Amino acid sequence: MRHTPRRIALVASVLAASMALTACGSSGDSSSAGAAGPKPFSLQLNFTAGGFNAGFEYAAVHGLYKEEGLDVEIIPGAGSSVTAQMVASGKAQIGFAEAPTTSALVAKGAPMKTIMTLYQSSPNQVTTLTSSGINAVQDLKGRSVGVPTGGSQTAMLPILLEKNGLKPSDINQVGLPKESLVQALLQKRVDAILGSTDSYGVQLEQQGAQTKNWTFAEYGVPTVSTSVFANAEYLKSNADDVKAFIRASLKGWAAVAADPQAGAAAVKKYFPNSNEQQSLAELNAVLPLLCAGGAKAVGKATDESWTRTQDLLSSIGLLPAGTDAATYYSNDFLPAEAEMQQCQDGKPVPLAAK
């Protein structure tokens, strides 16, 4: 159901951040607003509503999209692969999902481009209970591992295994619905799960579980991660709208980085059935990813990060070897880098301090 929240007051620090980005984005494409009012625009998420997508809800709740002439609807998803397939088939025009998943479809001919990367490093991780006796990724050999149906972890698992001296046949992969992973681990129906720092890790921590975790990024899979991508035909016909959406989204993410509590409140306002405290924990878990991987600006992965991702994925055949990494992404819809929120020491620079 579409929720249309009223615009609420901004706290002073967040208002300053939003105004700074508004000034930066004032040049270039004009607003999409017209005499008929804001233009309908939809964003297909990769997962349910939560802190891991709070910047978008913030932009919607606080009217940042409408300032750009857009009436944005945010639609929950069922996994990166599902969202990528929806955009590839034209059932959705703009999506938010793992870049490696979308790139794999592009390599097969899907007409898509990644146009803004928010998670510069993957939140995916292997999680076990401390009592499992598993003390390293290599200890997964002969064990059962819960794998989320439709999740980005599944596509990346072969690289993780190869980088840690294992083969897919070394583990017993148990396909599970995303909502069943945490309970399957707690009930010891599986020895480990392919989870994430921003969702499953938060749920386990809130339930008091004692866990051990190995992130994909730290154990051989340092790829660019969750990004906004779009159908190529849609980009050609709606370039101004897409640029306006990105400008407003970057304002939203700058605001929630400055005030995570306001971000969690925005998720609750837009999706009333969400859990505000859980959203806050999820958001705090993903904020370090905004400037990870050597990123220089929030929302823009470096060419080097894309090349590294291409090399990793091609090493196990998920992408064709020798392909120019620029095949999978475009920076043409981003503001000029000097106008974007900068990264310093792995953290977003508060815009009010620029």
Side-chain angles (χ1 to χ4, degrees), residues 154-213:
T154 305
M156 306 305 294
L157 178 59
I159 303 178
L160 180 72
L161 295 175
E162 190 271 336
K163 292 294 183 180
N164 290 277
L166 298 173
K167 303 185 297 294
S169 60
D170 287 334
I171 65 173
N172 175 24
Q173 297 185 43
V174 181
L176 293 170
K178 290 175 175 295
E179 60 272 15
S180 300
L181 281 175
V182 168
Q183 289 307 311
L185 183 64
L186 290 175
Q187 295 168 7
K188 300 183 179 180
R189 290 188 280 121
V190 292
D191 298 312
I193 61 172
L194 299 186
S196 63
T197 60
D198 58 334
S199 179
Y200 308 106
V202 169
Q203 294 175 47
L204 286 162
E205 182 178 349
Q206 290 178 336
Q207 295 188 53
Q210 299 297 312
T211 64
K212 292 182 180 180
N213 304 281

Side-chain angles (χ1 to χ4, degrees), residues 230-265:
N231 184 281
E233 287 301 316
Y234 185 81
L235 288 174
K236 290 179 182 178
S237 303
N238 299 273
D240 287 352
D241 292 340
V242 173
K243 290 177 181 178
F245 170 77
I246 287 179
R247 285 196 299 268
S249 295
L250 287 173
K251 296 173 194 176
W253 280 97
V256 302
D259 187 348
Q261 186 65 65

Side-chain angles (χ1 to χ4, degrees), residues 95-113:
F96 185 55
E98 282 277 324
T101 302
T102 62
S103 294
L105 284 181
V106 171
K108 295 177 181 178
M112 303 188 297
K113 284 280 189 181

Side-chain angles (χ1 to χ4, degrees), residues 9-349:
L10 297 174
V11 295
S13 62
V14 176
L15 178 59
S18 177
M19 291 176 64
L21 260 177
T22 301
C24 290
S26 61
S27 60
D29 296 290
S30 59
S31 170
S32 301
K39 183 176 179 179
F41 190 102
S42 63
L43 170 67
Q44 178 67 53
L45 297 176
N46 63 327
F47 201 43
T48 56
F52 28 72
N53 42 55
F56 302 117
E57 284 90 345
Y58 186 98
V61 166
H62 290 279
L64 303 181
Y65 290 127
K66 288 189 176 179
E67 289 176 2
E68 291 283 0
L70 300 175
D71 181 18
V72 173
E73 178 182 13
I74 303 170
I75 305 169
S80 283
S81 63
V82 176
T83 296
Q85 290 164 7
M86 289 179 67
V87 174
S89 65
K91 293 180 180 178
Q93 284 73 47
I94 298 284
F96 185 55
E98 282 277 324
T101 302
T102 62
S103 294
L105 284 181
V106 171
K108 295 177 181 178
M112 303 188 297
K113 284 280 189 181
T114 291
I115 53 177
M116 177 173 69
T117 296
L118 285 165
Y119 296 8
Q120 306 294 337
S121 183
S122 175
N124 292 339
Q125 64 183 13
V126 177
T127 296
T128 70
L129 296 178
T130 302
S131 60
S132 69
I134 297 173
N135 297 306
V137 175
Q138 292 83 353
D139 293 342
L140 293 174
K141 187 171 183 178
R143 299 296 194 108
S144 60
V145 180
V147 179
T149 303
S152 60
Q153 296 95 331
T154 305
M156 306 305 294
L157 178 59
I159 303 178
L160 180 72
L161 295 175
E162 190 271 336
K163 292 294 183 180
N164 290 277
L166 298 173
K167 303 185 297 294
S169 60
D170 287 334
I171 65 173
N172 175 24
Q173 297 185 43
V174 181
L176 293 170
K178 290 175 175 295
E179 60 272 15
S180 300
L181 281 175
V182 168
Q183 289 307 311
L185 183 64
L186 290 175
Q187 295 168 7
K188 300 183 179 180
R189 290 188 280 121
V190 292
D191 298 312
I193 61 172
L194 299 186
S196 63
T197 60
D198 58 334
S199 179
Y200 308 106
V202 169
Q203 294 175 47
L204 286 162
E205 182 178 349
Q206 290 178 336
Q207 295 188 53
Q210 299 297 312
T211 64
K212 292 182 180 180
N213 304 281
W214 298 275
T215 65
F216 282 33
E218 292 176 324
Y219 285 83
V221 197
T223 62
V224 295
S225 188
T226 317
S227 304
V228 173
F229 64 106
N231 184 281
E233 287 301 316
Y234 185 81
L235 288 174
K236 290 179 182 178
S237 303
N238 299 273
D240 287 352
D241 292 340
V242 173
K243 290 177 181 178
F245 170 77
I246 287 179
R247 285 196 299 268
S249 295
L250 287 173
K251 296 173 194 176
W253 280 97
V256 302
D259 187 348
Q261 186 65 65
V267 175
K268 181 68 174 178
K269 183 72 174 180
Y270 195 91
F271 292 103
N273 291 331
S274 63
N275 182 308
E276 187 169 345
Q277 288 307 307
Q278 182 168 321
S279 291
L280 178 60
E282 292 164 348
L283 177 55
N284 282 326
V286 301
L287 287 178
L289 303 178
L290 298 182
C291 286
K296 299 176 182 178
V298 175
K300 183 179 183 181
T302 64
D303 294 339
E304 292 79 10
S305 290
W306 275 106
T307 298
R308 181 173 64 244
T309 299
Q310 154 69 22
D311 292 344
L312 278 170
L313 296 181
S314 64
S315 70
I316 61 165
L318 287 180
L319 291 180
T323 302
D324 184 352
T327 301
Y328 308 110
Y329 71 99
S330 171
N331 293 326
D332 293 345
F333 300 88
L334 295 172
E337 187 171 307
E339 298 174 348
M340 299 174 71
Q341 185 177 22
Q342 301 298 296
C343 293
Q344 184 176 13
D345 298 326
K347 297 179 181 180
V349 176

